[in-house]
Amino acid sequence: MAIREVRTLGDDILRKKSRSVDKIDDKVRELLDDMAQTMYEDEGIGISAVQVGILKRIIVVDVGDGLYKMINPEIIEKDGEEVDVEGCLSVPDFNATVKRPKHIKVKYKDENGDEKILEAYDLKARCICHEIDHLDGILFVDKYIQEVRYNKK
């Protein structure tokens, strides 16, 4: 396992769309482990592969109830609404309020290739949505700016 460099705002890779993972092998499992170690080292609760410079649809999340390693995560259901403060390892020293679903169901594959469905609420739902946005080149600051513009009208 190794700690990887976290890409920060201004790095073009953060704006690119990540590709699906077709084959789950030792290289993918090593990346998952490195991402988890990097997240913990930087005291985060989630990180995406794109944040460590890899354009693959992979995230890891741990909001205090255990580590989730998700390959090709896809939100299949969402409801409710919640506005709360977010931060990001790729946008250091900045926090902003962002609207997210209160509840989601996410489908993904684990590191063994088994398909899973997870129901998440509150902070865990927020974190998973935040990380999946990264896979599509979206940062939480984009959502914040969009909200500010919308509320000014």
XYZ file of all heavy atoms in Angstrom, residues 21-32 56 58 71 110-113:
154
model
N -14.694 0.300 -15.052
C -13.705 -0.749 -14.830
C -14.284 -2.043 -15.386
O -15.357 -2.471 -14.966
C -13.391 -0.899 -13.327
C -12.461 -2.066 -13.082
C -12.820 0.395 -12.773
N -13.598 -2.633 -16.353
C -14.067 -3.868 -16.975
C -13.533 -5.112 -16.282
O -14.192 -6.146 -16.259
C -13.657 -3.908 -18.457
C -14.294 -2.774 -19.245
O -15.451 -2.417 -18.950
O -13.628 -2.244 -20.149
N -12.324 -4.996 -15.726
C -11.666 -6.161 -15.131
C -11.177 -5.802 -13.733
O -10.426 -4.845 -13.563
C -10.491 -6.575 -16.025
C -9.722 -7.753 -15.528
C -8.569 -8.066 -16.476
C -7.670 -9.134 -15.887
N -6.428 -9.263 -16.643
N -11.629 -6.561 -12.750
C -11.187 -6.343 -11.376
C -10.067 -7.337 -11.090
O -10.290 -8.536 -11.037
C -12.358 -6.501 -10.384
C -13.445 -5.478 -10.718
C -11.865 -6.334 -8.953
C -14.739 -5.660 -9.964
N -8.864 -6.788 -10.962
C -7.681 -7.626 -10.763
C -6.857 -7.075 -9.598
O -7.295 -6.159 -8.890
C -6.858 -7.703 -12.056
C -6.457 -6.325 -12.597
O -6.546 -5.321 -11.849
O -6.046 -6.257 -13.772
N -5.671 -7.635 -9.403
C -4.815 -7.200 -8.293
C -4.435 -5.722 -8.398
O -4.273 -5.045 -7.380
C -3.557 -8.063 -8.216
C -3.856 -9.468 -7.701
O -4.927 -9.665 -7.079
O -3.019 -10.376 -7.922
N -4.290 -5.222 -9.625
C -3.949 -3.812 -9.816
C -5.077 -2.911 -9.302
O -4.820 -1.895 -8.650
C -3.673 -3.554 -11.302
C -3.072 -2.226 -11.593
C -2.666 -2.125 -13.061
C -2.078 -0.762 -13.338
N -1.660 -0.596 -14.714
N -6.323 -3.286 -9.572
C -7.480 -2.524 -9.084
C -7.562 -2.619 -7.558
O -7.798 -1.621 -6.869
C -8.792 -3.012 -9.743
C -10.017 -2.432 -9.050
C -8.801 -2.655 -11.222
N -7.347 -3.807 -7.021
C -7.385 -3.978 -5.557
C -6.270 -3.163 -4.877
O -6.484 -2.580 -3.808
C -7.307 -5.454 -5.194
C -8.619 -6.196 -5.473
C -8.591 -7.634 -4.986
N -8.002 -8.533 -5.952
C -8.654 -9.044 -7.007
N -9.924 -8.747 -7.206
N -8.042 -9.855 -7.833
N -5.108 -3.102 -5.492
C -4.010 -2.291 -4.952
C -4.387 -0.810 -4.974
O -4.133 -0.080 -4.012
C -2.735 -2.519 -5.759
C -1.551 -1.709 -5.247
C -0.281 -1.913 -6.074
O -0.263 -2.772 -6.981
O 0.689 -1.190 -5.797
N -5.009 -0.372 -6.061
C -5.462 1.016 -6.146
C -6.474 1.318 -5.038
O -6.380 2.357 -4.379
C -6.071 1.297 -7.527
C -6.726 2.671 -7.710
C -5.722 3.802 -7.504
C -7.371 2.756 -9.092
N -7.429 0.421 -4.828
C -8.412 0.600 -3.755
C -7.729 0.747 -2.397
O -8.078 1.634 -1.601
C -9.386 -0.577 -3.726
C -10.458 -0.585 -4.805
C -11.041 -1.984 -4.977
C -11.560 0.414 -4.492
N -10.649 6.077 -13.536
C -11.448 4.854 -13.405
C -12.599 5.135 -12.450
O -12.456 5.905 -11.496
C -10.604 3.708 -12.833
C -9.433 3.305 -13.703
C -9.877 2.422 -14.811
C -8.672 1.876 -15.571
N -9.036 1.107 -16.713
N -13.982 4.405 -9.646
C -13.684 3.749 -8.367
C -13.712 4.804 -7.264
O -13.133 5.879 -7.423
C -12.293 3.082 -8.399
C -12.218 2.007 -9.488
C -11.941 2.505 -7.038
C -10.828 1.430 -9.691
N -16.625 -0.101 -6.943
C -16.192 -0.089 -8.333
C -17.431 0.096 -9.202
O -18.434 -0.587 -9.007
C -15.458 -1.400 -8.678
C -14.232 -1.558 -7.764
C -15.060 -1.441 -10.155
C -13.641 -2.947 -7.743
N -17.896 -4.871 -5.555
C -16.846 -4.805 -4.540
C -15.532 -5.290 -5.133
O -15.455 -5.644 -6.321
C -17.249 -5.564 -3.274
C -17.332 -7.072 -3.454
O -16.872 -7.614 -4.489
O -17.866 -7.731 -2.539
N -14.504 -5.352 -4.322
C -13.169 -5.710 -4.822
C -13.066 -7.160 -5.287
O -12.100 -7.533 -5.943
C -12.105 -5.395 -3.777
C -12.225 -6.186 -2.500
C -11.284 -5.667 -1.434
O -10.119 -5.348 -1.745
O -11.719 -5.586 -0.281
N -14.078 -7.972 -4.990
C -14.105 -9.359 -5.474
C -14.958 -9.506 -6.734
O -15.121 -10.613 -7.244
C -14.635 -10.289 -4.378
C -13.759 -10.253 -3.151
O -12.543 -10.333 -3.245
N -14.373 -10.092 -1.988
N -15.549 -8.391 -7.183
C -16.388 -8.425 -8.376
C -17.840 -8.756 -8.089
O -18.632 -8.908 -9.016
